[in-house]
Amino acid sequence: MLMIVAVCAAAARLSGTAVPQIPATVFPPPDTWLAPETVSFAVNIAANIAIAFTLLVINRTYRLMRSITWIFVGFFFFMQLAQPDALRYFSSGSFIALAVMLLTALLFSTYASPAATRSTYLLFMLLALAALFQYNIIFLMPVFILGTIQMKIFDLRAILAIVMGIVTPLWILLGFGIIPPDSISLPELRPVTPSADHSEYITGLVTTAFTGVIGLLFTFANLIKVMSYNSARRAFNGFITLLFLATLILIVADHRNLPTYVPMLDIIVAYQAGHFFATRRYRLSYIPICVILAIYAAIAAIPINIP
């Protein structure tokens, strides 16, 4: 129900705001894939549903927490609703968040598996391929390498699989002449303002700061519960925490490209919030849930006018 409310509110806010153009490494970034507003909106809503659904499947499959909950789906969509353009257009942020969720599921499938070499190779090949469309994914490769250590599969074979996986996409593209060698260049790391409207930029910063603060609070509060889990659950939750901290660092270091990291931050913090409330089913636990959702709804509803 919360997801439907957020989607309807996003549809009502659909307007002609320009989509940020974020430099890519080789291929056009996801921001430029869809031109018509309605098509981009529909695809983005489908992508956001897929992001939330993927996390639900991960939680059910790998038992990240001791109870099953849908709470974080509502949190995720309200967090997205409070961000300018996060639900209105398909963007690099949605692309990265969906890719990270799918690859996280693939990473978790390798836990303590003696036959994880092929999955590791596939994981880093897909990461490298996605980085050809959006350079920011390159910064997440070290996180997934640390993830292989947490999954207890990091050995010489895993190192070779990682290297081969990263090299393969460019090797194939260059070898078959799909792209010329001179088309490969470092991205232009110029600052890109998400919107010409300063009020939307400030709204994005305020919402992201609030999300980061409650994310830290929920993450630290969940550590007590996570420490009592078995080794597999601790490894899975540890990787999600690592993703969260890496995302915060990227947002601070590259804040001008804020929309690129927002959906990934939102889905991770939504999981931590859902984890917190699902494991603390007190009589009045619905009150803080309603308060947090009301704050996001207020941010989305109340415009901040800055010249």
Side-chain angles (χ1 to χ4, degrees), residues 202-269:
I202 296 301
T203 299
L205 288 177
V206 170
T207 309
T208 303
F210 176 67
T211 302
V213 169
I214 66 171
L216 287 170
L217 294 176
F218 285 133
T219 298
F220 286 124
N222 289 335
L223 284 178
I224 299 175
K225 293 288 185 180
V226 171
M227 293 302 294
S228 65
Y229 293 166
N230 60 33
S231 59
R233 283 177 177 168
R234 289 200 304 270
F236 299 149
N237 281 281
F239 178 74
I240 291 176
T241 300
L242 187 63
L243 267 179
F244 169 62
L245 295 177
T247 304
L248 284 182
I249 293 172
L250 289 174
I251 287 174
V252 173
D254 192 21
H255 66 93
R256 290 290 182 177
N257 286 324
L258 185 65
T260 305
Y261 308 105
V262 162
M264 187 166 65
L265 177 70
D266 287 349
I267 190 62
I268 297 172
V269 174

Side-chain angles (χ1 to χ4, degrees), residues 93-260:
S94 298
F95 172 77
I96 291 177
L98 181 57
V100 167
M101 286 296 101
L102 292 172
L103 293 175
T104 297
L106 179 58
L107 176 67
F108 287 177
S109 70
T110 66
Y111 180 79
S113 173
T117 304
R118 291 182 180 179
S119 296
T120 304
Y121 169 78
L122 177 61
L123 169 62
F124 284 90
M125 184 186 72
L126 293 174
L127 266 175
L129 182 61
L132 296 179
F133 292 93
Q134 188 59 42
Y135 77 88
N136 308 75
I137 293 180
I138 295 174
F139 305 141
L140 297 176
M141 287 184 179
V143 179
F144 278 90
I145 292 174
L146 292 175
T148 62
I149 298 176
Q150 290 179 304
M151 298 303 115
K152 301 180 181 180
I153 59 171
F154 191 77
D155 54 17
L156 180 59
R157 289 183 302 174
I159 294 174
L160 293 175
I162 291 170
V163 174
M164 290 295 294
I166 293 174
V167 170
T168 295
L170 275 180
W171 190 358
I172 293 175
L173 292 171
L174 291 173
F176 283 93
I178 299 174
I179 60 173
D182 57 2
S183 68
I184 302 174
S185 60
L186 293 174
E188 299 177 25
L189 298 177
R190 63 180 186 275
V192 180
T193 302
S195 173
D197 186 350
H198 293 290
S199 63
E200 289 200 351
Y201 182 50
I202 296 301
T203 299
L205 288 177
V206 170
T207 309
T208 303
F210 176 67
T211 302
V213 169
I214 66 171
L216 287 170
L217 294 176
F218 285 133
T219 298
F220 286 124
N222 289 335
L223 284 178
I224 299 175
K225 293 288 185 180
V226 171
M227 293 302 294
S228 65
Y229 293 166
N230 60 33
S231 59
R233 283 177 177 168
R234 289 200 304 270
F236 299 149
N237 281 281
F239 178 74
I240 291 176
T241 300
L242 187 63
L243 267 179
F244 169 62
L245 295 177
T247 304
L248 284 182
I249 293 172
L250 289 174
I251 287 174
V252 173
D254 192 21
H255 66 93
R256 290 290 182 177
N257 286 324
L258 185 65
T260 305

